Amino acid sequence: MSQEQPRRPIKYGDVFSVEGEIAEMAVAPRDAALMQTAENAMLGQIQKGTAASMMQSAAERNEKGGFVGHDDMADVAAGQGVSITETNLPGRRIITEEIGGQVVGQYSQPSSLQSLAPPSSHGEVKGGGITIGEALEATALTAGKKPVEWSDAAAIQAAEVRATGRINITPGGVAAAAQSAATINARTTRDEDKTKLADILTDATAKLPADKQVTRKDAEGVAAAEMRNDPMLTTHPAGVAASVAAAARLNQSNKN
């Protein structure tokens, strides 16, 4: 017997204790991707029971039910974004997640856990906030099953250049691996045999000789590179440019 499809979309008010307009908005795939980027940078991974996992589950059901498209984003996420912050207390830290200024998750963890994924021993991290390496790793979560194409490789190269400040790509780095994957994938017929973004970006931070906080200019540069190398002159809604843009937006909102 096939599983019965929901008769209405899952709204934010069905999942979280929120009020106002957001409560009536359907949870969309790009909302979940945005929160995944934030959680990956703060917690090092997506954990069960957090806002990102709950949003992902709701968004998947909404997409399967035909209530939202794969590229959709709720107005509140597009206009006000998401944020994740931590408050340090004696022996513990409190993680708070918000969408549109309303709390959708709050967790208490021992303070011995690091608030951010540790910087790679292979390179220096310049500045605070979400780094380019972390944004690339977030792409492995949001679009990890996507075969690497020339547009992805170009975006990854632009990201690496901005992270390291070097004109040439690093031998053995993420950009070199992405270019090699795109070349091989172009000659491979079956998608299941192609190298995926997760294969390249899961440990992107460790492959960067240097890293830095994502800025708006970084996001614009990566997006331009991805668009120039895409046949339709567009960026993937959950791809490299989207993750870098989400990270830049989160960094800016945390500064404000």
Side-chain angles (χ1 to χ4, degrees), residues 148 153 156 160 169-185 195-196 199-201 207:
V148 181
I156 293 169
E160 181 182 288
I169 65 175
T170 305
V174 285
Q179 287 185 351
S180 176
T183 301
I184 295 173
N185 284 351
T195 301
K196 310 300 191 296
D199 300 325
I200 303 297
L201 300 178
K207 296 178 182 178

Side-chain angles (χ1 to χ4, degrees), residues 32-33 35-41 43-54 56 97 141:
M35 185 60 80
Q36 284 178 332
T37 300
E39 281 193 14
N40 186 59
L43 305 175
Q45 61 182 353
I46 304 303
Q47 301 181 7
K48 290 184 178 180
T50 60
S53 64
M54 296 170 69
Q56 182 178 21
E97 298 174 302
L141 295 172

Side-chain angles (χ1 to χ4, degrees), residues 12-127:
Y12 276 99
D14 299 325
V15 184
F16 305 112
S17 297
V18 292
E19 300 176 346
E21 283 186 308
I22 185 175
E24 297 300 317
M25 293 182 181
V27 183
R30 290 186 67 186
D31 307 356
L34 196 62
M35 185 60 80
Q36 284 178 332
T37 300
E39 281 193 14
N40 186 59
M42 176 68 77
L43 305 175
Q45 61 182 353
I46 304 303
Q47 301 181 7
K48 290 184 178 180
T50 60
S53 64
M54 296 170 69
M55 290 168 63
Q56 182 178 21
S57 177
E60 287 176 353
R61 290 186 61 186
N62 284 343
E63 184 176 354
K64 288 180 180 178
F67 301 111
V68 298
H70 185 68
D71 300 342
D72 286 355
M73 175 181 284
D75 291 343
V76 66
Q80 302 179 52
V82 306
S83 67
I84 177 169
T85 58
E86 69 170 338
T87 302
N88 291 310
L89 301 174
R92 303 197 70 78
R93 64 174 184 147
I94 306 298
I95 305 297
T96 303
E97 298 174 302
E98 297 183 0
I99 299 177
Q102 296 197 49
V103 175
V104 293
Q106 196 166 63
Y107 325 102
S108 176
Q109 296 181 338
S111 59
S112 58
L113 296 176
Q114 295 300 313
S115 61
L116 289 175
S120 166
S121 60
H122 295 267
E124 174 189 3
V125 176
K126 303 174 183 177

